[in-house]
Amino acid sequence: MHRIYSLRVFRTNVGHNGMLMPVLFANPGIRKDTLVQKRAAGSIAQEVKREAADDEFKATIGLELHAQLSASQKLFSAASARWDEPPNTNVYAIDAGLPGALPQLNPQCVELAARAILALDGHVQSRSFFDRKHYFYADQPLGYQITQQQYPIGRGGYVQLGPADGLDYTKRVHIHQLQLEQDTAKSIHGVYPGYVLVDLNRAGVALIEIVSEPDIETAIEASTYVRKMQTLLRHIGVSNCNMEEGSLRCDVNVSVYRKGGDRLSGARCELKNLNSLKTIRGAIGAEIARQAAIICKGGRVEQETRGYDARNDKTYPLRSKEAAPDYRYMSEPDVPEVHLAQDWIERVRSMLPEMPEVTLARVQSQYGLAQEDVETMLNEPGCLAFFEESVSGRDPKRVSSWITSEIFGQLSYRNQRLADSPLTVQQFTQILDSISNDLVTSAQAKQLLISFMDGEKRQVSEIIKAHGWEVIGDESQLRGIAKELIDNHPKEVAGYLKGQERRLNFFVGKLMQSTKGQAKPQEANRIICELLEAKRQ
């Protein structure tokens, strides 16, 4: 297969007859995506209140999660799976749908999919094969999607929800199937009026689609299920599941029925492309309210596909059942059946890490940390391993606090993942030990952290020496500086002696300024306080 170097921007012109006309351009100019991510209205508490308020109706909900696999190459080509590079640069012939190009299955994707279904306590099918799902749209250059409809790679399994997830009851959500499939290209609207730009970098990237059974009954259960699935897939290294990047997308099927009736009797409406937990809660709540209102008026809910308007907290129709495309599924003739030996499946199972629930309980018990702190680290891939390598011989709470506040703060500021940061465990432990040994102040330690996250390679001792950050440990030297400050500010001394406690902070600040931050704040406070109190005598 040959890489396409000349392809830059592929866009479609909307003709007078409404047909999409593909046009290829060599000079894209500046890429500009005007699609804005909107936040859904309401809070979890409001959603709980809305769900609890209506006892007449109940909902049956099933979810389809599409997670982009953490594979270096695409599902059926050797093109890079990076989506955040210049448009249409990671494209092979099969990704662009060029005639004669044949798909070649990426074995890494098969292993990641097997890892996911095993982590869900499901079954890896020893025999699976691919299907063609036919439909035409500008972001689907082949004219069909290669997926696994009839014989997927995985079936069964479940996700257990309970008090540890914020619910006051337990709920088991069963998995119907897990299948491998291609992602579509990215359509970009609004750059040129009447045109849709298409970036093929994402076309052919490997996804797993995880289809749940309709076991979910509320919006809160749905978002909790997605959050827990997100944590699991990150933890086992299958997907980064960043919803803001489109690495995890969700379709939700909702039907409403009267309490006491058949829970599968309602017409099912599908809510498409929900890309945040808040949007999932809002969309489900709005759709339940819409269907309940129709039933109350004696109407009939039509089976259809709908979108969600977060600004107005309403769902809107996209297409009806009659307008739904006939996908004309057929077996994919260019991809052979996948046969997996039992010893291969067991090898994949043996390489699974400790499951998140087990890790959460163990780390809480072993290190005496709060559940919230452990969950925060658990949700960042590789973070708990980083913590456990750093904590040996150190205060676990202090290590955890530095990770969840200082390191995470820097990662957020840099829009970076811990795994992508140049900060090493050795550098981090040097910072912690420098504070414990009174070699640097807390403020200087934070500067050290910033330096290491900027790519600094020198040892802590070298950086301290270069910046002149050595802590002043000579108490007589600090007392001399403090005494001079007190003698030079009689007005502030008089104020302190009259009960103006804030004057103490004035002197401590002056002392820190005079020593260029090389005095320990606790020592400075103690010495200043002793000298001021001596003035009372």
Side-chain angles (χ1 to χ4, degrees):
M1 299 181 199
H2 300 284
R3 184 169 181 174
I4 302 173
Y5 288 98
S6 60
L7 191 59
R8 284 297 178 264
V9 173
F10 182 87
R11 74 185 190 186
T12 55
N13 187 5
V14 182
H16 296 293
N17 58 0
M19 295 295 290
L20 294 174
M21 302 163 57
V23 186
L24 191 62
F25 287 81
N27 298 309
I30 300 174
R31 184 183 184 187
K32 181 180 179 183
D33 191 345
T34 58
L35 293 175
V36 179
Q37 183 82 3
K38 294 183 174 67
R39 299 184 66 188
S43 65
I44 293 180
Q46 291 171 331
E47 295 299 331
V48 171
K49 184 177 180 181
R50 176 159 70 173
E51 290 174 354
D54 192 349
D55 293 330
E56 186 179 355
F57 296 97
K58 297 193 74 174
T60 301
I61 302 168
L63 275 69
E64 299 170 8
L65 293 180
H66 304 263
Q68 181 178 320
L69 294 179
S70 298
S72 58
Q73 297 177 335
K74 295 185 179 183
L75 183 57
F76 294 112
S77 84
S80 169
R82 295 280 307 222
W83 60 271
D84 55 350
E85 295 186 358
N88 297 311
T89 53
N90 294 329
V91 185
Y92 273 38
I94 184 66
D95 307 319
L98 299 186
L102 293 175
Q104 185 172 358
L105 182 60
N106 182 350
Q108 184 189 11
C109 299
V110 176
E111 182 170 334
L112 289 172
R115 189 187 303 178
I117 193 65
L118 290 171
L120 291 165
D121 204 24
H123 304 286
V124 176
Q125 304 298 100
S126 59
R127 173 176 174 264
S128 62
F129 59 80
F130 288 88
D131 305 296
R132 288 184 180 181
K133 178 182 179 181
H134 292 85
Y135 67 93
F136 175 77
Y137 196 69
D139 62 8
Q140 186 61 271
L142 286 169
Y144 56 85
Q145 179 190 37
I146 302 179
T147 182
Q148 291 184 312
Q149 177 71 10
Q150 302 299 329
Y151 293 89
I153 190 171
R155 293 189 187 276
Y158 63 91
V159 172
Q160 186 78 21
L161 309 180
D165 307 303
L167 303 179
D168 56 3
Y169 56 90
T170 58
K171 160 82 73 170
R172 179 169 288 190
V173 180
H174 295 87
I175 305 301
H176 175 66
Q177 68 182 46
L178 182 149
Q179 61 200 51
L180 277 164
E181 63 185 24
Q182 294 174 304
D183 204 349
T184 61
K186 181 179 181 181
S187 298
I188 305 169
H189 302 264
V191 179
Y192 300 108
Y195 292 90
V196 178
L197 304 189
V198 178
D199 180 3
L200 293 173
N201 281 352
R202 204 176 67 181
V205 168
L207 302 176
I208 51 172
E209 179 178 351
I210 305 173
V211 183
S212 80
E213 297 289 357
D215 296 333
I216 297 170
E217 297 179 299
T218 69
I220 299 302
E221 289 178 3
S223 64
T224 302
Y225 166 83
V226 174
R227 186 179 72 244
K228 194 154 188 178
M229 188 71 77
Q230 193 177 38
T231 299
L232 175 65
L233 295 180
R234 283 174 174 169
H235 186 71
I236 63 176
V238 166
S239 172
N240 66 29
C241 290
N242 295 331
M243 299 189 82
E244 66 276 11
E245 297 175 357
S247 298
L248 181 67
R249 305 189 290 276
C250 181
D251 298 337
V252 180
N253 293 292
V254 180
S255 64
V256 171
Y257 63 99
R258 290 188 182 276
K259 193 173 182 180
D262 181 358
R263 66 185 307 271
L264 299 178
S265 62
R268 184 181 65 189
C269 291
E270 184 179 21
L271 304 174
K272 295 290 287 186
N273 297 325
L274 306 178
N275 51 16
S276 76
L277 298 178
K278 199 168 188 179
T279 302
I280 290 169
R281 291 194 301 271
I284 293 175
E287 180 60 18
I288 290 173
R290 185 190 73 88
Q291 292 189 27
I294 292 173
I295 297 172
C296 278
K297 293 176 183 178
R300 178 184 174 185
V301 177
E302 297 294 333
Q303 183 171 330
E304 59 186 348
T305 301
R306 301 180 68 85
Y308 176 59
D309 178 358
R311 185 183 297 276
N312 297 307
D313 194 26
K314 292 181 179 179
T315 65
Y316 57 88
L318 294 174
R319 61 173 180 260
S320 66
K321 180 182 178 182
E322 289 74 19
D326 178 7
Y327 293 125
R328 296 179 290 114
Y329 284 100
M330 61 172 282
S331 297
E332 170 55 65
D334 295 329
V335 181
E337 289 186 11
V338 179
H339 293 262
L340 302 175
Q342 190 60 38
D343 59 347
W344 182 90
I345 295 172
E346 293 306 319
R347 181 180 65 83
V348 174
R349 190 194 306 273
S350 69
M351 293 190 298
L352 283 174
E354 186 179 56
M355 291 297 103
E357 295 90 343
V358 179
T359 302
L360 181 65
R362 178 183 61 78
V363 172
Q364 274 188 269
S365 173
Q366 184 174 343
Y367 300 107
L369 300 179
Q371 179 178 324
E372 182 181 358
D373 292 335
V374 181
E375 286 179 340
T376 300
M377 292 190 288
L378 189 61
N379 282 325
E380 177 65 30
C383 187
L384 273 179
F386 185 92
F387 164 80
E388 294 201 272
E389 288 180 52
S390 305
V391 78
S392 178
R394 300 173 182 88
D395 178 9
K397 292 183 179 179
R398 188 177 198 180
V399 176
S400 169
S401 176
W402 260 81
I403 290 175
T404 57
S405 58
E406 303 304 330
I407 293 181
F408 278 18
Q410 284 297 316
L411 291 174
S412 177
Y413 173 74
R414 298 158 190 264
N415 192 26
Q416 192 177 48
R417 289 286 173 187
L418 180 62
D420 300 324
S421 171
L423 179 69
T424 66
V425 171
Q426 182 185 15
Q427 291 170 334
F428 178 52
T429 53
Q430 283 182 14
I431 294 173
L432 296 176
D433 293 343
S434 297
I435 301 172
S436 300
N437 296 329
D438 294 331
L439 298 178
V440 294
T441 65
S442 179
Q444 291 166 347
K446 293 175 184 178
Q447 289 301 313
L448 285 171
L449 177 65
I450 292 172
S451 297
F452 284 134
M453 295 187 76
D454 283 339
E456 176 63 70
K457 300 297 184 185
R458 291 177 294 175
Q459 298 293 311
V460 165
S461 57
E462 296 177 281
I463 300 173
I464 291 173
K465 186 175 181 180
H467 287 276
W469 285 349
E470 294 91 345
V471 172
I472 298 174
D474 186 352
E475 184 172 332
S476 63
Q477 183 182 353
L478 290 178
R479 282 187 176 273
I481 298 171
K483 188 175 185 304
E484 183 179 350
L485 285 171
I486 289 172
D487 291 343
N488 291 337
H489 296 85
K491 184 178 177 180
E492 282 72 18
V493 173
Y496 175 82
L497 297 176
K498 290 179 181 179
Q500 298 174 9
E501 296 291 335
R502 68 180 185 277
R503 301 295 184 182
L504 176 63
N505 295 332
F506 167 81
F507 284 110
V508 172
K510 284 290 184 181
L511 179 58
M512 296 301 295
Q513 185 179 359
S514 298
T515 60
K516 297 181 180 179
Q518 290 177 256
K520 290 189 290 184
Q522 298 90 337
E523 281 294 293
N525 191 83
R526 180 181 65 81
I527 290 170
I528 292 288
C529 191
E530 288 177 2
L531 293 176
L532 288 175
E533 288 299 321
K535 293 286 186 181
R536 296 186 188 276
Q537 300 173 2

